[in-house]
Amino acid sequence: MNLDFDELIDRSGQNSIKRGYAKKLFGEGDILPMWVADMDFANAPIILDELKKLVDHRILGYAYPPDSLYQAIIDWQKNRHHLQLTAHDILFSPGVVPSIALLIQTFTKEQDAVLIHDPVYTPFEQMVTLNNRRVIRSPLTIEEGLFKMDFTIMEQQFKQERVKLVLLSNPQNPGGRVWTKQELSQLANLCQKYQVLLCSDEIHGDLVYQPEDFVSVASINEQYKEFVITLTAATKTFNLAGIKNSMIFVQNETLRNALIQAQAKTEQNCINTFGYAATEAAFALGGPWLEELLAYLNVNLETICAFFDTELPDVPYMKPQGTYLFWFDCSSLDLPVDQLTNHFAQVGKIGLNACSDYGPAGNQFMRLNFAAPHAMVIESLKRIKYAFDNPVG
């Protein structure tokens, strides 16, 4: 395809959250925004071409999901993730986070216990708390530089707290851990034993680096389909966050009917025309673009790891097996948690995610988004090093 991932695209004036909110979050000045998880790459031409066709038609009326869209999703999941689906198993939703809220509202009651890992993607806790459910944090341990689940603690929590729902991030955000088939089976078996619903957020499932192999939980065992609900989208893989379309894969008829009724009450099943078209184009035709993207991201990742190893050897980090998110330890700065973000912004002139937002286990960590042109990544590393080399006080 010979795509130009090195192109520096000016996103100012686009109402981009990544760029436009940077001043509000990090202050005035030359802040390099490397935070929120969207990419600084142009969308795949094949997707843009399909969206242009819609505009050229000149009528943007109501639309329904065509059979070809269902087939594109079915083929993608079968060929890439060995997950066997039918059109009947697929529901559409404006996004994965709205889907998480929908599942919480549909399958739990107020004050029910919902288990999440610590650390994990911030909206997991937010959706549980805002819906007046109890957050049960299950700590992730770090072994050989990777997150691991503590199944002993999780089983104790299942029994003591009477957990009703588990929200799983697979691959894990923010640490980039790609859970193995064995780990996922162990978790699913616990859920099955204690009759707990398992919601697997697999939106980063296509962004995995060799030799790792992403495994969709529902693909492991036919029995798991009775209590596993899968959430995913083309949006993270193909940088399409603005189209607002995601999928819910639910293969248990009772669970599916409950979700359909819940969606009907709030019209959460209404997707815009661009969402349908972009998703179909991505899954039907976007494979070659994705392969080039992964190769480029891998170069960025190796560059970052080499830089930390040579220029910041005393700063521990977690090399992600998937996602484009790099998680590193800032405890050597000896700063209060609430000052880390400002230190990197004001001293290093770089906007990063504070990992304290992902749970108590993230208190001394920051997250770097490396889905950007290589020149931007190099510049971000220089700014991070400057921040480490110039501690406050």
Side-chain angles (χ1 to χ4, degrees):
M1 261 191 177
N2 297 319
L3 299 168
D4 186 9
F5 290 105
D6 287 324
E7 181 184 4
L8 295 170
I9 299 176
D10 183 4
R11 299 181 68 176
S12 60
Q14 190 200 26
N15 299 322
S16 161
I17 287 178
K18 190 172 187 178
R19 295 279 169 169
Y21 276 11
K23 289 184 179 180
K24 295 180 181 179
L25 292 176
F26 306 115
E28 298 292 334
D30 183 24
I31 302 294
L32 182 64
M34 304 294 285
W35 60 296
V36 68
D38 73 2
M39 306 186 209
D40 283 302
F41 302 131
N43 288 117
I46 193 69
I47 297 174
L48 296 177
D49 288 344
E50 290 302 309
L51 295 180
K52 287 175 183 176
K53 289 179 184 178
L54 280 178
V55 175
D56 288 345
H57 188 269
R58 297 183 295 151
I59 298 178
L60 298 174
Y62 295 115
Y64 62 88
D67 291 343
S68 53
L69 169 58
Y70 285 105
Q71 195 60 51
I73 296 167
I74 291 167
D75 291 344
W76 185 271
Q77 291 296 321
K78 176 183 176 181
N79 297 332
R80 294 199 171 243
H81 307 312
H82 312 293
L83 180 59
Q84 304 288 337
L85 297 169
T86 67
H88 187 71
D89 303 325
I90 303 169
L91 303 179
F92 292 100
S93 166
V96 164
V97 175
S99 297
I100 289 172
L102 180 71
L103 265 64
I104 291 170
Q105 294 168 359
T106 305
F107 299 118
T108 67
K109 299 176 182 178
E110 291 195 3
Q111 295 306 312
D112 275 351
V114 179
L115 186 142
I116 64 175
H117 285 123
D118 180 16
V120 77
Y121 182 47
T122 309
F124 280 28
E125 178 193 5
Q126 292 173 338
M127 291 302 101
V128 176
T129 302
L130 289 172
N131 282 285
N132 201 24
R133 273 64 168 173
R134 290 187 293 121
V135 175
I136 307 301
R137 297 184 187 276
S138 192
L140 297 174
T141 61
I142 299 177
E143 299 177 23
E144 299 179 349
L146 295 172
F147 280 135
K148 296 289 182 71
M149 300 186 213
D150 191 321
F151 294 103
T152 300
I153 290 179
M154 274 195 287
E155 183 163 17
Q156 291 172 351
Q157 292 171 319
F158 277 19
K159 290 189 289 188
Q160 293 172 3
E161 303 292 346
R162 298 187 178 182
V163 172
K164 299 297 182 182
L165 172 66
V166 171
L167 302 178
L168 174 70
S169 181
N170 176 37
Q172 199 267 355
N173 176 10
R177 179 68 210 282
V178 176
W179 304 114
T180 65
K181 183 177 180 180
Q182 180 180 359
E183 289 170 315
L184 294 171
S185 296
Q186 197 166 350
L187 174 60
N189 289 339
L190 276 179
C191 290
Q192 188 174 35
K193 178 180 179 180
Y194 291 96
Q195 298 183 323
V196 175
L197 190 66
L198 176 57
C199 168
S200 184
D201 171 3
E202 300 182 358
I203 197 169
H204 288 100
D206 294 309
L207 298 168
V208 172
Y209 308 106
Q210 295 181 352
E212 306 306 324
D213 185 24
F214 169 77
V215 179
S216 180
V217 185
S219 71
I220 299 173
N221 188 319
E222 282 293 318
Q223 295 180 9
Y224 295 168
K225 296 177 181 179
E226 294 304 307
F227 60 90
V228 173
I229 297 177
T230 305
L231 309 180
T232 192
T235 53
K236 200 65 65 178
T237 304
F238 293 95
N239 201 30
L240 297 168
I243 67 165
K244 296 299 180 184
N245 185 25
S246 73
M247 289 81 68
I248 304 172
F249 302 151
V250 52
Q251 294 168 290
N252 174 294
E253 194 69 13
T254 301
L255 298 178
R256 180 180 180 277
N257 288 336
L259 286 174
I260 289 174
Q261 291 178 18
Q263 282 191 319
K265 293 177 183 178
T266 58
E267 290 269 323
Q268 274 201 44
N269 54 349
C270 291
I271 308 301
N272 71 70
T273 305
F274 293 96
Y276 287 142
T279 299
E280 180 176 347
F283 288 142
L285 304 167
W289 183 89
L290 174 58
E291 297 310 316
E292 291 200 31
L293 169 71
L294 287 171
Y296 193 93
L297 289 175
N298 193 56
V299 171
N300 278 354
L301 176 56
E302 294 300 329
T303 298
I304 294 168
C305 293
F307 185 93
F308 270 72
D309 289 342
T310 57
E311 301 297 326
L312 295 166
D314 297 324
V315 177
Y317 63 84
M318 192 170 291
K319 184 178 181 180
Q321 299 172 319
T323 78
Y324 46 74
L325 308 168
F326 184 81
W327 158 276
F328 60 96
D329 189 340
C330 302
S331 54
S332 62
L333 286 170
D334 196 26
L335 288 172
V337 173
D338 59 359
Q339 292 182 24
L340 278 174
T341 300
N342 283 340
H343 176 73
F344 281 95
Q346 300 307 314
V347 177
K349 302 299 181 184
I350 183 168
L352 302 170
N353 284 102
C355 292
S356 55
D357 293 340
Y358 300 89
N363 278 348
Q364 286 297 322
F365 292 82
M366 298 296 284
R367 192 190 79 170
L368 167 72
N369 172 359
F370 60 88
H374 197 67
M376 284 180 63
V377 172
I378 294 295
E379 179 61 25
S380 73
L381 293 173
K382 293 177 181 177
R383 297 186 184 205
I384 289 171
K385 178 173 170 53
Y386 188 84
F388 273 104
D389 289 346
N390 294 274
V392 175

